[in-house]
Amino acid sequence: MAMTNGGTVDGVLPPPAIAHHAEDGAGAADLAPEPLTLAGIAARRAKAGKLVAGTAAYSDSDMFKSPQAHNQPKARRWDHLLSPEAIARKPCVLKLAATYLKTPGILSLGGGLPSADNFPIESLSLQVPHPPLFDKASAEVPGSDATIGKHDMRDKDGVYDLSVALNYGQAVGSAQMLRWVTEHTELVFRPPYADWRCALSIGSTGALESALRLFCDRSRRDSILTEVYSFSTALETIAPMGIKCFGVGIDEQGLLPGDLDEILSNWDEDVRGARKPTVLYTVPSGQNPTGATMRAQRRKDVYDVCSKHDVYIFEDEPYYYLQMPPYDKANSAAKPGAVDITSTQSTESFLQSLIPTMLSIDVDGRVLRMDSFSKVVVPGSRMGWVTGSEQVIERYIRHNECSSQGPAGFSQALMYKLLDETWGHEGYFRWLMHIRSEYTRRRDAILDACEAHLPKDVVSWTPPAAGMFLWLCVDHTRHPHAGQKTILELEEEIFESCLEGGVLACRGSWFRAERDVEPTGLFFRTTFAASSQADMDVAIQRFGKAIRASFGI
C-alpha cells in the first residue's frame, strides 16, 4: 500500500523516472534558495544538467520547482469538498507499470507501447516568428526553422523527440512540457504555499469539466456560483451534470464581493433547491462575456469571502496576459501612426504590471487555476495547464488517466519546440507583450467605432482593461415599447434586426447564469478578436443602425 495526497492506493510508489545529467553531479537541492528569475532558470538548468525523460516517464512539478518554492506552509486538505467520484478514483495500473521502464536493464513485455520505428512521421518542422518584431521576415530567415525528429534524443543528444511525444504518456503531461509550465508558474504566480503542482490540460473547458467532477455531485444537491453573466460554454458544461448554477452580481470590475457574501450568508437550501455552494467559477481578467477585470483589491476581497465560507475557487484565466493600458480616445492605438508606448518595456516591467492572480494570494490552496494557450498562441493546440495543491492535482490526474489522458503528443511536441527551445521564457514573455499590443490596437478600434456610431443616450459601455470582448448595455427603459414587451422580446427584435443588417452580436441572455430568472438588463456581447479595423467600424455602424431603428431615433 502507498499513501498519496488523494488517499490510500494499491500498489507501490513509482521509482524516479526522469534524470538530470549534471556535470558535477549536483541536484536541485544543492542550488541556491533564491526566488526563481529568468536568469535563474538558465543557471538552474545548467547546474542540474540535461533532462532525460523517456517514453511515459513519470514526473511532477516538485522535480522542477526552485528550493525557494518549498519554503512555505503546506496547503489545506479538501477531503470534505471532494466528490465521491473523485475520492473513489484509483491510479491507472498501466500508467504505474510504465514507470518501471527506467529500471536499468529491464526488458519490457508489459505495456502496450507501440514501437516508434513504426511511426510514419520522421520529423516535424515549424516556421515561427522571432522576437523582437515577430514578423514574417523573422520567420523566413534561413536556418531558423524549428525541427523535431523521431530519434533526436538518441541521435542528436536532444531533450525531446517524436519517439516519446507521439507514444503513450502520463496524464500529467510530458516531463519536458511540465518543466516549462512549472517554471513559468513559479516565475509569474509564485503560489504562497509549498505543495503546489501543475498538470497539463486539454484547454480550460476540458479542465473545467474535470474540476467539476472533482468537486461537484448531483446526488449531494451541489451548486456552484459564478458571475450573473458567465461564459456560456462553462454554463453548458455545468447544466447536464445536474449542478445548479447561481449568479453573483457584477460591476465594471466583475464579481461583487458584498453580493457574494450576502448570497452565502443567507443561503436557504429549501428556497434555492440546492446545498450551499462550495465552488466559485470565475474569469477574473477580461471576463467572458462582460470584459470586466478585477483589480488586485477586488480579487483579495473575493478570495476573503470564499475563505470565510470555505468555498473552493476555479480561476479560469485564458485572457490574463491580454491586460491593456486604459483607453485614451485622443491617443487611440488604432489611429494611423500611433506609437506603441509599451514596445520598449522590459519583461520584468511587463510582469510587474500584471494584476496579481488569485493563485498568487492563495494561502490555503483553495484555488485551481486554469491557464490556456488558446487565446495567446493557438486555440487548435488544445493545450493548457492547471495549478493547485498536490492533493487536488493528484485527483485531477487520476481522473484524466481514464478520460482525455492529457494533451495530444503533436501539441506537446510543437509547443515544446516553440516555447522552450525556440523562444524560451524570455521570448514567450516578449510574444505576450507583442500580442497584448495587437489586442490594444483592436480594442481601441472598436471603441473608436462605438464613439463614432452608437447613440450614447441609449447604449453605454466600459472600455475593457483585458481580453477580447466589449459588453454593450442597451437602456431598455428608453425603448418606446418598454413595459409592453419583455427585455427578452426587445433583445430578440434588435438581434434579428442586426442579422438583417449584416452584423452578428451575441445576445446577452445567452450568458445568463440562471436561465430560469428573467433578466433585468439588455446587453450584447461584441468581440474585437479577429475582424479588421475597417470591418469593425462597419459592423458597429450596422449595430447602431439596428438600435436606432428599434428605438425609433
Side-chain angles (χ1 to χ4, degrees):
M1 301 287 283
M3 293 299 296
T4 73
N5 256 6
T8 302
V9 298
D10 294 322
V12 297
L13 287 176
I18 69 168
H20 290 88
H21 288 176
E23 294 181 7
D24 59 2
D30 301 307
L31 303 179
E34 291 86 8
L36 198 63
T37 63
L38 279 170
I41 287 178
R44 282 177 50 77
R45 286 194 179 191
K47 188 79 170 178
K50 176 188 171 184
L51 173 64
V52 179
T55 302
Y58 171 84
S59 63
D60 62 58
S61 289
D62 280 354
M63 298 174 176
F64 308 118
K65 288 152 64 174
S66 73
Q68 178 71 19
H70 297 277
N71 296 336
Q72 305 280 356
K74 285 196 171 184
R76 288 183 52 187
R77 289 188 61 85
W78 304 102
D79 306 74
H80 62 294
L81 296 186
L82 291 174
S83 69
E85 177 187 355
I87 293 171
R89 287 199 179 275
K90 306 295 184 183
C92 174
V93 293
L94 294 179
K95 298 292 185 185
L96 284 176
T99 64
Y100 291 103
L101 295 176
K102 284 294 294 184
T103 304
I106 198 166
L107 299 176
S108 176
L109 297 177
L113 304 174
S115 169
D117 292 338
N118 294 324
F119 295 172
I121 300 171
E122 293 297 323
S123 68
L124 295 171
S125 293
L126 295 80
Q127 190 178 65
V128 300
H130 296 271
L133 298 180
F134 294 101
D135 56 359
K136 187 176 181 181
S138 70
E140 295 176 340
V141 174
S144 67
D145 290 3
T147 301
I148 183 169
K150 184 188 289 187
H151 293 296
D152 286 354
M153 295 171 68
R154 183 191 69 190
D155 301 338
K156 298 181 180 180
D157 197 33
V159 172
Y160 201 28
D161 63 21
L162 297 181
S163 74
V164 173
L166 301 188
N167 216 317
Y168 287 111
Q170 297 290 335
V172 70
S174 65
Q176 292 83 353
M177 274 307 303
L178 184 64
R179 176 176 67 170
W180 190 92
V181 301
T182 299
E183 291 170 344
H184 179 91
T185 297
E186 188 175 348
L187 270 172
V188 182
F189 310 132
R190 303 192 189 281
Y193 60 94
D195 53 335
W196 60 270
R197 288 190 176 183
C198 300
L200 298 191
S201 73
I202 56 172
S204 291
T205 302
L208 174 62
E209 190 273 342
S210 296
L212 288 165
R213 293 180 65 172
L214 292 185
F215 284 91
C216 299
D217 185 83
R218 73 171 70 204
S219 66
R220 299 189 307 198
R221 299 171 70 233
D222 283 344
S223 63
I224 189 170
L225 295 171
T226 188
E227 290 89 350
V228 66
Y229 289 94
S230 190
F231 178 36
S232 57
T233 303
L235 300 174
E236 291 156 358
T237 303
I238 295 167
M241 299 178 71
I243 310 302
K244 295 200 70 173
C245 191
F246 297 94
V248 180
I250 57 175
D251 64 7
E252 69 280 357
Q253 282 194 54
L255 279 172
L256 290 166
D259 193 44
L260 177 64
D261 187 42
E262 182 179 356
I263 289 172
L264 290 166
S265 296
N266 299 300
W267 192 266
D268 187 321
E269 291 191 9
D270 293 330
V271 173
R272 296 280 192 170
R275 290 175 64 209
K276 181 178 177 179
T278 56
V279 171
L280 169 69
Y281 168 75
T282 182
V283 181
S285 306
Q287 197 257 354
N288 185 358
T290 68
T293 296
M294 296 187 206
R295 306 306 297 175
Q297 187 60 49
R298 177 64 62 87
R299 296 179 196 227
K300 184 180 185 305
D301 292 343
V302 169
Y303 182 88
D304 288 346
V305 173
C306 289
S307 181
K308 172 184 174 181
H309 293 278
D310 200 21
V311 171
Y312 196 88
I313 302 169
F314 296 164
E315 181 186 28
D316 188 3
E317 281 281 43
Y319 315 105
Y320 178 72
Y321 291 106
L322 300 180
Q323 296 181 35
M324 298 171 278
Y327 172 65
D328 181 354
K329 180 181 177 182
N331 297 290
S332 169
K335 290 184 176 180
V339 177
D340 179 9
I341 60 175
T342 65
S343 61
T344 58
Q345 188 178 24
S346 67
T347 53
E348 290 79 8
S349 176
F350 167 67
L351 292 177
Q352 290 170 3
S353 73
L354 298 173
I355 301 170
T357 69
M358 287 189 172
L359 178 64
S360 301
I361 60 174
D362 181 22
V363 294
D364 294 336
R366 70 170 62 251
V367 172
L368 181 69
R369 180 180 170 88
M370 306 171 194
D371 280 281
S372 174
F373 294 116
S374 293
K375 304 302 188 294
V376 293
V377 184
V378 288
S381 69
R382 303 318 310 141
M383 184 169 161
W385 75 97
V386 296
T387 306
S389 69
E390 181 181 359
Q391 179 192 20
V392 172
I393 295 301
E394 189 271 340
R395 293 290 89 189
Y396 177 90
I397 293 168
R398 295 291 84 81
H399 171 74
N400 285 307
E401 283 176 342
C402 300
S403 54
S404 71
Q405 298 198 42
F410 287 105
S411 294
Q412 295 193 58
L414 296 181
M415 294 299 283
Y416 171 80
K417 293 299 292 189
L418 174 66
L419 299 175
D420 194 299
E421 290 197 355
T422 302
W423 283 350
H425 289 287
E426 171 84 20
Y428 182 59
F429 289 137
R430 289 287 175 192
W431 169 255
L432 294 174
M433 295 163 68
H434 168 78
I435 205 73
R436 176 193 59 178
S437 296
E438 173 66 12
Y439 274 95
T440 300
R441 183 184 64 80
R442 290 177 173 276
R443 178 206 60 182
D444 286 8
I446 199 170
L447 289 173
D448 290 348
C450 289
E451 292 284 347
H453 302 306
L454 296 185
K456 295 181 185 177
D457 55 337
V458 172
V459 185
S460 61
W461 58 90
T462 297
M468 54 180 60
F469 302 110
L470 175 63
W471 188 240
L472 299 175
C473 176
V474 181
D475 187 356
H476 63 280
T477 65
R478 300 177 66 90
H479 197 280
H481 297 143
Q484 302 170 36
K485 292 185 176 181
T486 67
I487 289 176
L488 290 176
E489 288 172 336
L490 294 176
E491 181 192 64
E492 173 74 16
E493 176 185 307
I494 296 170
F495 178 72
E496 293 295 335
S497 179
C498 284
L499 292 179
E500 292 172 5
V503 61
L504 174 63
C506 292
R507 298 172 61 170
S509 63
W510 292 347
F511 304 93
R512 286 180 298 157
E514 300 177 58
R515 302 291 176 90
D516 56 345
V517 176
E518 284 293 314
T520 57
L522 176 54
F523 304 95
F524 285 89
R525 191 200 75 173
T526 60
T527 179
F528 45 92
S531 296
S532 68
Q533 184 170 341
D535 283 349
M536 279 191 279
D537 187 76
V538 173
I540 292 297
Q541 190 170 359
R542 291 173 178 176
F543 180 82
K545 183 178 180 180
I547 292 292
R548 288 185 173 90
S550 180
F551 278 74
I553 55 177

